[in-house]
Amino acid sequence: MRAIRHTLRIALATAVLSIPAVASAQPAPLPSWNQNAVKEAILAFVEATTREGSPGFVPRAERIAVFDNDGTLWVEQPMYVQLAFALDRVKALAPQHPEWKSKPPFSAVLAGDLKALAASGEKGIVELVMATHAGMSTEEFAKIVTAWLDGSRHPRFQRPYTEVVYQPMLELLAYLRQKGFKTYIVSGGGIDFMRPFTEKVYGVPPEQVVGSSIETQYEISNGKPVLMRLPKIAFIDDKAGKPVGIERFIGRRPLLAFGNSDGDQQMLEWTAAGRGSRLMGLVHHTDEKREYAYDRSSDFGRLDKALDEALAKGWLVVDMKRDWKKVFAFEP
Amino acid sequence: MRAIRHTLRIALATAVLSIPAVASAQPAPLPSWNQNAVKEAILAFVEATTREGSPGFVPRAERIAVFDNDGTLWVEQPMYVQLAFALDRVKALAPQHPEWKSKPPFSAVLAGDLKALAASGEKGIVELVMATHAGMSTEEFAKIVTAWLDGSRHPRFQRPYTEVVYQPMLELLAYLRQKGFKTYIVSGGGIDFMRPFTEKVYGVPPEQVVGSSIETQYEISNGKPVLMRLPKIAFIDDKAGKPVGIERFIGRRPLLAFGNSDGDQQMLEWTAAGRGSRLMGLVHHTDEKREYAYDRSSDFGRLDKALDEALAKGWLVVDMKRDWKKVFAFEP
C-alpha cells in the first residue's frame, strides 16, 4: 500500500512537470495503453526513479525490471506454448518410439486425449518434458525450438506464437530500457526454450533470461565439446523459486516486477520488500473478445492468491480490457 | 592453434594501421603489460573482433569475456581467500559451538593444525563451508563477507584482499569493456562470496558473476520475505561445471576466456570450440618475488593438464614475470 501511495503521490507531483518534457523530445511512451491512472502510475514511477535529483532516484545499475513470460508477455491459452511444443514433439518422435502407442502419458498425447493427459498429472507432464527436451546437445535443442516456433501457429489467432505477444508489454519493455532499466524475463518456463527467441521478440538477450532448467553435462563428442541435456530437473523457477532464481542469476532485488498468476506472487513480494519505492504489477486477463478472460479457476496461469494480495497491498492490477488500447500488433 | 595463428596473422595486418589510431585518441591500453608478443596478441584480437569492417568483426551483443577469479584476478596463495574467510569464521563462531573443540575438522582449525585440516579432505572442507556459509539470510551473509573483507589482511602483503588483485588484469577488464565486451566472472568460488566486492574492485556487477552456490529457500520471517541459505550444495562451478555455468547463466559462448588452473580447462575448451576467432588465456604464476611461482604441483590453483593443452593448442600463456610490468597497484 505504501509503495503505491508513494507512487501516486509522486505522480501528482511530477506529472505536470516531467511528462510533457519527455513528450516533446520523443514520441509519447506506451501508445497502446489507454490514458488512465494505470498508465499514469507506470509513467510516474519510472520518472520518479530515473530523473536526476528526484527524491526517489535510483542509480542506473540498480534499475532491474523482471517480467514473467507466459500470460505476461505472450499468450498462455489454450495451453502453455511450451506444452504445445512438447505435444508436437511427442507426435514428431512417435515413429521412433512404437512403444508410446500404449504407454501413458504418450498414448494420451498420440490419441489427442487431453483429458487422459491431464489425469496423468504433473508426473505425466514431467515425463513428456524429459522425453522431448533431453537427450540432445544444447545447440541441437535450440535448433529444434527455433524450427518449431517458425513452423507452428497459435490455434485461435493463426499466427506464429512469437507474434501472439502483448504489444503494450513490448512498449513497456522498450520504455524501461530507454530509461536505463535492465529488463529480465523470470519465467517458470524452460530457460532454453525461451532464449532462442527472446532477443528478437522482446529485446531481452539470452543472459537476461531466468527460467527453469534441466541438468546439462559437458562431454567431448567426436573431438568437439558439447553440453548434453539430461533428463533431470535442475531448477524450477516458479512460485517460491522465482526469488531464488532472481537472487542466483541477477543478485539484485528488482525495482519493478510484472507477472500475471499465482506463480508470480513470491516474486512480487520479494520485489515489494525492497527499500524505497518499487512497482509490482499483475496483468489481469479480462478480455475474452480480444484475448482470453480467466483468473481464479484457470488451469494455466491461475490468478487467485496473488490477486488478493495485489488488491490488499495496492499493487498495480492491469485490466487488459480497460487499460490496453491494443492487445496484439496484428490487430486491425 | 588455428585461433592463435589467425590472431597473429591479424596482428601483423592490423598493428600498424589500428593501434596508433587508438593510441592517439586515448591513453594506450594495458600500460602494466610489457610491450611484447603477448600484449600484441591481446590488442590484435580485440581490434580484429571489434573494428567495423574487419573480417573477424563480432557484434557488440556477442562480445562475452569470462574470467576465472582465484589466481586469475586476485591472489589464491597461500590459500584461497574464501578458505581464509571460512577459517576465520570458524574461530569467530567457536564460542557458540563448544563441541567444535573436539570435533574434526573444526578442532583442526581451532588448533591451527592445517595439516590435520588437509587430512579431512574435501568432506572436511565442505563441512566447514556449510557451518560458516549457511544458516543465515542472503542479506546477512553479504554483510558478514563485507565486514570480513574490510577487516582482514593478506598474510604476506598486509593489504586488504581486495587490493591484492592483478593490476594488468584490471586493465584488461577495463579495456574489454571500453571495446564493448561484457565482462563476466566465472569462478569455482562462491557466487555470494564474490558479489559483495566484484563491482567495486573489478567493475563487474553482481549479475555478471557466475560461481558455485548453495541452495536458498524463500521464507517469510517476521512478516518480511527472506532467502535463507541452506547447508546444501546447489551447483559447483568448477572444471566441467564451468561450461555448464556459462550456458546456464549467460546462454552465449564466450569470445574470450581467461583462467589460470586446471579448473579452467573445460571453460577454455568450450570457448575455443566456438566459430571464428576466439582468445583463450592462462595466467601462469612464475614470479616468486613479486607474487608466487607455482603450477603443476600446487594445492591451490594447480596448473598441469590445462598448461599442456594450452601449449599444444597455442592458447595464450601469460608469463607473469615476463609479461607484467607491474603485478599490484600498490607496488612501489
Side-chain angles (χ1 to χ4, degrees):
Chain A
M1 190 65 106
R2 218 165 28 151
I4 197 78
R5 249 197 265 124
H6 181 62
T7 300
L8 291 177
R9 190 148 41 78
I10 291 166
L12 292 171
T14 62
V16 183
L17 289 171
S18 56
I19 294 167
V22 169
S24 67
Q26 45 203 322
L30 311 185
S32 300
W33 293 69
N34 285 318
Q35 195 67 50
N36 63 20
V38 166
K39 177 171 175 173
E40 275 157 24
I42 295 172
L43 294 174
F45 175 82
V46 172
E47 284 298 317
T49 49
T50 60
R51 196 165 35 81
E52 293 233 28
S54 151
F57 180 77
V58 174
R60 189 171 277 256
E62 291 166 30
R63 295 180 203 157
I64 302 291
V66 295
F67 290 81
D68 169 61
N69 183 36
D70 297 306
T72 300
L73 299 179
W74 76 354
V75 169
E76 65 184 350
Q77 301 291 353
M79 69 175 75
Y80 295 129
V81 179
Q82 193 172 358
L83 181 57
F85 165 76
L87 301 187
D88 279 1
R89 289 301 296 162
V90 167
K91 289 171 202 158
L93 295 168
Q96 297 157 49
H97 296 273
E99 76 281 9
W100 283 357
K101 268 189 190 151
S102 54
K103 189 184 167 195
F106 303 98
S107 50
V109 176
L110 297 175
D113 185 349
L114 289 181
K115 209 169 158 182
L117 175 62
S120 76
E122 199 181 297
K123 190 174 157 288
I125 299 293
V126 169
E127 251 184 285
L128 288 186
V129 168
M130 292 314 172
T132 53
H133 287 62
M136 70 293 280
S137 75
T138 50
E139 285 178 299
E140 283 160 356
F141 185 69
K143 276 181 203 160
I144 292 168
V145 170
T146 301
W148 182 83
L149 285 171
D150 286 347
S152 51
R153 295 289 177 273
H154 186 279
R156 172 174 162 192
F157 298 106
Q158 288 301 315
R159 299 263 173 178
Y161 287 103
T162 49
E163 290 180 21
V164 191
V165 297
Y166 308 128
Q167 177 63 22
M169 298 306 283
L170 295 182
E171 293 168 6
L172 179 55
L173 287 167
Y175 171 57
L176 289 169
R177 287 192 291 263
Q178 182 215 317
K179 291 292 192 175
F181 280 76
K182 214 162 173 176
T183 53
Y184 280 82
I185 289 169
V186 176
S187 168
I191 192 166
D192 296 323
F193 181 74
M194 295 183 282
R195 278 174 168 164
F197 69 89
T198 57
E199 188 154 32
K200 200 173 140 198
V201 175
Y202 303 134
V204 175
E207 63 269 30
Q208 286 163 225
V209 178
V210 181
S212 298
S213 56
I214 59 176
E215 300 283 357
T216 62
Q217 184 171 290
Y218 182 79
E219 290 174 12
I220 306 288
S221 165
N222 301 321
K224 206 185 147 229
V226 291
L227 287 167
M228 289 303 293
R229 294 170 58 81
L230 307 183
K232 190 178 169 225
I233 288 172
F235 178 58
I236 299 289
D237 188 53
D238 198 29
K239 299 193 172 73
K242 287 205 174 190
V244 171
I246 288 169
E247 184 67 13
R248 193 177 298 171
F249 280 73
I250 311 176
R252 299 189 199 260
R253 198 186 295 252
L255 192 57
L256 178 154
F258 249 94
N260 78 299
S261 79
D262 284 358
D264 303 310
Q265 186 175 8
Q266 290 85 350
M267 172 171 87
L268 300 186
E269 288 173 354
W270 179 245
T271 301
R275 272 181 297 112
S277 181
R278 313 261 159 171
L279 185 70
M280 286 63 64
L282 281 173
V283 174
H284 191 187
H285 294 263
T286 53
D287 195 332
E288 202 161 18
K289 206 172 151 205
R290 295 185 298 177
E291 202 243 7
Y292 296 92
Y294 59 97
D295 46 31
R296 296 185 192 272
S297 60
S298 177
D299 283 334
F300 301 105
R302 177 170 304 177
L303 175 63
D304 183 28
K305 288 181 190 167
L307 184 58
D308 290 339
E309 189 170 354
L311 295 172
K313 296 191 172 167
W315 297 344
L316 203 65
V317 179
V318 175
D319 180 321
M320 193 178 258
K321 190 171 182 178
R322 177 193 67 194
D323 299 332
W324 287 358
K325 205 174 284 177
K326 184 177 239 187
V327 175
F328 301 115
F330 57 75
E331 278 170 19
Chain B
M1 190 64 109
R2 219 167 28 151
I4 197 78
R5 251 198 262 123
H6 182 63
T7 300
L8 292 176
R9 189 149 41 78
I10 290 168
L12 292 172
T14 62
V16 183
L17 288 171
S18 58
I19 294 166
V22 169
S24 67
Q26 44 203 321
L30 310 185
S32 300
W33 293 69
N34 285 319
Q35 195 66 49
N36 63 20
V38 166
K39 177 172 176 171
E40 275 158 23
I42 295 173
L43 294 175
F45 175 82
V46 172
E47 285 297 317
T49 49
T50 60
R51 196 163 35 80
E52 293 234 27
S54 151
F57 180 77
V58 174
R60 189 171 276 257
E62 290 165 30
R63 296 180 202 156
I64 302 290
V66 295
F67 289 81
D68 170 60
N69 184 35
D70 298 305
T72 300
L73 299 179
W74 77 354
V75 168
E76 64 185 351
Q77 301 290 354
M79 70 175 76
Y80 296 129
V81 178
Q82 194 172 357
L83 181 56
F85 165 76
L87 301 187
D88 279 0
R89 288 300 296 161
V90 167
K91 289 171 202 158
L93 295 168
Q96 298 156 49
H97 296 272
E99 75 281 7
W100 283 358
K101 267 189 191 152
S102 54
K103 189 185 167 194
F106 303 98
S107 51
V109 176
L110 297 175
D113 185 349
L114 290 181
K115 208 169 160 183
L117 176 62
S120 75
E122 199 180 297
K123 191 175 158 285
I125 299 294
V126 168
E127 251 185 285
L128 288 185
V129 168
M130 292 313 171
T132 54
H133 288 60
M136 71 293 279
S137 75
T138 50
E139 285 178 299
E140 284 161 357
F141 185 69
K143 276 181 203 160
I144 292 168
V145 170
T146 301
W148 182 82
L149 286 171
D150 286 348
S152 51
R153 297 287 178 273
H154 186 277
R156 172 173 162 193
F157 298 106
Q158 288 301 316
R159 299 262 173 180
Y161 287 103
T162 49
E163 290 181 20
V164 192
V165 297
Y166 307 129
Q167 178 61 22
M169 298 305 282
L170 295 182
E171 294 168 5
L172 178 55
L173 286 168
Y175 171 58
L176 289 170
R177 286 192 291 263
Q178 183 216 314
K179 291 292 192 175
F181 280 77
K182 214 163 173 174
T183 53
Y184 281 82
I185 290 169
V186 176
S187 167
I191 192 167
D192 296 323
F193 182 74
M194 295 183 283
R195 280 174 166 163
F197 71 88
T198 56
E199 187 153 33
K200 200 174 140 197
V201 174
Y202 303 134
V204 175
E207 63 269 30
Q208 286 163 225
V209 178
V210 181
S212 298
S213 56
I214 59 176
E215 300 284 358
T216 61
Q217 183 171 291
Y218 181 79
E219 290 174 13
I220 306 288
S221 165
N222 300 322
K224 206 186 148 227
V226 291
L227 287 168
M228 289 302 294
R229 295 171 58 81
L230 307 183
K232 189 179 168 222
I233 289 172
F235 178 59
I236 298 288
D237 189 52
D238 198 30
K239 299 192 171 70
K242 288 205 174 190
V244 171
I246 288 169
E247 184 66 12
R248 194 177 298 170
F249 280 73
I250 311 177
R252 299 188 198 260
R253 199 186 294 253
L255 192 57
L256 177 155
F258 248 93
N260 78 299
S261 79
D262 285 358
D264 303 310
Q265 186 175 9
Q266 290 85 350
M267 172 171 87
L268 300 186
E269 288 173 354
W270 179 246
T271 301
R275 272 181 297 113
S277 179
R278 311 262 160 170
L279 186 70
M280 286 62 65
L282 281 173
V283 173
H284 191 187
H285 293 264
T286 53
D287 194 331
E288 203 161 19
K289 206 172 151 206
R290 295 186 297 177
E291 202 244 8
Y292 295 92
Y294 59 98
D295 47 31
R296 296 185 191 273
S297 60
S298 178
D299 283 335
F300 300 105
R302 177 170 302 176
L303 175 63
D304 184 31
K305 288 181 190 167
L307 185 57
D308 290 339
E309 189 169 354
L311 295 172
K313 296 191 172 167
W315 296 345
L316 203 66
V317 179
V318 174
D319 181 321
M320 193 177 259
K321 190 172 182 175
R322 177 194 66 193
D323 300 331
W324 288 358
K325 204 175 284 177
K326 185 176 236 188
V327 175
F328 302 114
F330 57 75
E331 277 170 17

